[in-house]
Amino acid sequence: MLPALGVVLVLIGAVWTLQGSNLLGGSSMSGSPLWLVIGLVALVVGIWLVVRAVRAGRT
């Protein structure tokens, strides 16, 4: 469950980060610093969850 949630957060976080930084247009979120920060937080949490799940699998 954690790896899947982590992957989803990484993908969503990447999209929100790109929209917030205005690299991915076409949305009211484009160019918004708030969505840049939210996207980065989601991205970091997603990466953390994936890494945590991979390390737990090796133990």
Side-chain angles (χ1 to χ4, degrees):
M1 170 101 169
L2 284 180
L5 180 60
V7 169
V8 169
L9 277 175
V10 167
L11 294 173
I12 291 172
V15 170
W16 287 347
T17 299
L18 290 172
Q19 286 180 327
S21 61
N22 210 21
L23 294 174
L24 184 63
S27 170
S28 62
M29 295 166 38
S30 299
S32 172
L34 174 65
W35 286 105
L36 175 62
V37 172
I38 292 171
L40 288 173
V41 169
L43 191 62
V44 169
V45 170
I47 291 170
W48 178 76
L49 285 174
V50 170
V51 168
R52 181 177 168 198
V54 168
R55 285 186 179 170
R58 290 185 184 170
T59 306

